[in-house]
Amino acid sequence: MTMTDLLQNQIQKEISELTDSINLIVDNFKTLRNPLAESHEKVPIAARQLDKVTEQTEAAANRMLDMLETITERQGEVITGLETIKGEVEKQGAEELTTLANSLVEKVNTNLNDAYSIMDALQFQDITSQQVNHAVSLLEDLGGKLQTIVTAFHGNPPEETAEEMPRKERAFDPRADMNDKKTNQADIDNLFNNRA
Amino acid sequence: MADLKILAVDDSPTMRRIIVNTLKRAGYTDVVEAQDGKDALAKLKVESINFVITDWNMPEMDGLTFVTTMRSTDDLKEIPVLMVTTRSVKDDIIDAMKAGVNSYIVKPFTPDTLKQKIEQILAG
C-alpha cells in the first residue's frame, strides 16, 4: 500500500466518522424538535394565564373601590348626622352625651381615614399589572425565538395552534416596583427646582 | 379651585379611580378621564381643561409623546402638567422635564404629595 493509499484511507475514515457525528447531532436535534414545538405551543397559554391574573386583580380592585366609595360616602353622612346630634346635646348641656358624640365622631373619622388608606393601597394593582405585562412580554419574546428554532427544524413554520393569538400592545415600565423608587421625591423636586 | 377642571390620563382604570377619589378628597371635583395620550388630546379639544395629570407608560400614545404634543400645540402649551408614573430612574425624570412636565410624582403616591404638587404648580 502506497503512502497515497494510506492517506486516502485515513481521510475516508475521518469523513466517515464526521458523517456519523453529524448524523448523531441531527438525530439529537430531531428528538429535541417535539419538546421545543410543545414548549412553543405553551407560551401563549402561559401568557394568557398571566393576562387573566391582571384582568382578575383589576376586577377585584374595582369591586373594592366600589365598596370603598360606598363606605366613605356613608361614613360622611354618619359624621354629618353625629355633628348635628352633638350640637343639640351641647345646647342641652348633656355633658356625657357630648363626650359620647365626640368619641363617635372621632371613631367614624378614623374609619373614614382607614377606608381612604385601603383605597390608596390599591395602587398595587397598576404596579403589579405592569410587572406581569413585563413578564408576558418576555414570554412572548421567548415564544418568538422558539418559533424560529422550530421552523428551522421543520423547514416551515409550525401549524398555528388554537392557543395562538395576535400579540397585543403592552405598555409597561420594566422597573415598576411598589417599594424600590430609584429617585426619591426630594431629589425629583430638586431636579425641577434647579432646571435652567 | 372652583374653576379648575383636571384631566386625569392613565391606562389603568383602577389608577384613574384612585386619582379621581384622591382629587375629590382634596377638593378638586371637576375631573375628566382619558385612557392614553391620544384619548387625552381628543378630550382637550372638547373640554375646557386647565390642569393635566398624566401617566407615562400607556398604549396608543405614551405620556411623554402626549406632553411633547401639548407643548407644541398653541392652545395647549400653557396647561400645567403633573406626571404620575412608576418610572423613577433619574434619566427618565430629566426626559420628562425636557418634554415640558411641570412636576413629577413616582407611584405609589400619597394623597398629600399629589395635593401638594398640584398646589405648588398652581402657585407658579
Side-chain angles (χ1 to χ4, degrees):
Chain A
M1 206 178 250
T2 63
M3 192 66 178
T4 310
D5 290 337
L6 277 171
L7 199 61
Q8 202 168 13
N9 283 344
Q10 185 64 32
I11 290 169
Q12 275 174 351
K13 194 182 161 206
E14 292 285 339
I15 288 172
S16 172
E17 281 175 11
L18 194 62
T19 308
D20 287 346
S21 294
I22 290 169
N23 284 335
L24 187 66
I25 291 168
V26 169
D27 285 345
N28 284 341
F29 271 128
K30 278 179 182 168
T31 57
L32 265 177
R33 187 179 62 188
N34 285 343
L36 279 175
E38 277 173 27
S39 297
H40 168 256
E41 283 165 14
K42 282 176 185 164
V43 167
I45 300 170
R48 189 185 291 179
Q49 284 297 106
L50 287 170
D51 278 340
K52 272 187 188 168
V53 170
T54 300
E55 285 163 20
Q56 286 170 7
T57 55
E58 187 176 301
N62 276 288
R63 277 199 302 276
M64 287 167 82
L65 279 167
D66 287 341
M67 287 186 273
L68 287 165
E69 282 169 0
T70 308
I71 290 167
T72 53
E73 200 180 320
R74 202 187 297 141
Q75 295 290 77
E77 287 166 13
V78 172
I79 290 169
T80 308
L82 280 172
E83 291 289 357
T84 308
I85 293 168
K86 202 177 94 179
E88 289 301 317
V89 292
E90 269 172 353
K91 273 186 216 166
Q92 291 166 19
E95 273 185 34
E96 275 185 23
L97 285 175
T98 305
T99 308
L100 178 64
N102 280 332
S103 161
L104 288 175
V105 168
E106 197 183 312
K107 280 178 180 154
V108 176
N109 270 316
T110 305
N111 286 347
L112 189 60
N113 288 331
D114 287 349
Y116 286 135
S117 296
I118 296 169
M119 203 180 274
D120 297 336
L122 290 176
Q123 289 181 64
F124 89 91
Q125 199 277 323
D126 173 43
I127 295 163
T128 54
S129 79
Q130 292 196 53
Q131 291 168 332
V132 170
N133 265 319
H134 184 208
V136 174
S137 177
L138 293 174
L139 261 178
E140 287 173 338
D141 285 346
L142 180 68
K145 287 185 176 75
L146 279 174
Q147 179 165 340
T148 307
I149 296 168
V150 173
T151 303
F153 285 158
H154 277 273
N156 49 36
E159 279 181 29
E160 288 220 343
T161 65
E163 298 298 340
E164 291 280 3
M165 47 183 184
R167 265 181 95 149
K168 72 173 186 184
E169 190 185 353
R170 297 181 189 279
F172 58 86
D173 168 15
R175 294 192 182 96
D177 198 287
M178 278 297 287
N179 305 310
D180 183 21
K181 292 184 180 179
K182 306 288 176 208
T183 315
N184 65 38
Q185 192 62 50
D187 290 337
I188 295 170
D189 294 345
N190 278 336
L191 281 172
F192 277 84
N193 292 336
N194 297 325
R195 71 183 139 177
Chain B
M1 192 187 290
D3 297 333
L4 197 70
K5 188 179 242 186
I6 301 177
L7 175 64
V9 192
D10 202 304
D11 58 327
S12 158
T14 311
M15 191 52 82
R16 285 203 304 273
R17 277 183 82 173
I18 292 168
I19 290 171
V20 170
N21 272 290
T22 309
L23 289 172
K24 212 196 281 185
R25 275 146 68 193
Y28 303 105
T29 51
D30 200 357
V31 186
V32 176
E33 295 178 43
Q35 62 185 10
D36 55 54
K38 207 171 156 187
D39 186 23
L41 287 172
K43 295 273 164 65
L44 282 165
K45 273 187 189 169
V46 294
E47 302 266 4
S48 304
I49 308 286
N50 32 31
F51 197 99
V52 171
I53 296 173
T54 185
D55 184 19
W56 183 321
N57 292 97
M58 297 179 287
E60 293 287 337
M61 184 190 282
D62 67 32
L64 206 64
T65 312
F66 165 55
V67 176
T68 306
T69 308
M70 276 184 73
R71 293 302 178 235
S72 60
T73 307
D74 281 343
D75 295 346
L76 310 176
K77 64 182 170 193
E78 299 300 331
I79 300 174
V81 177
L82 169 62
M83 186 162 264
V84 181
T85 171
T86 52
R87 297 177 89 112
S88 63
V89 175
K90 194 176 170 184
D91 286 347
D92 286 342
I93 299 161
I94 291 168
D95 284 346
M97 200 161 68
K98 283 180 184 164
V101 163
N102 296 78
S103 195
Y104 194 101
I105 297 174
V106 178
K107 294 175 188 170
F109 63 86
T110 65
D112 286 345
T113 308
L114 185 71
K115 191 181 173 207
Q116 189 190 35
K117 292 295 153 219
I118 294 171
E119 285 168 359
Q120 277 175 5
I121 293 172
L122 292 175

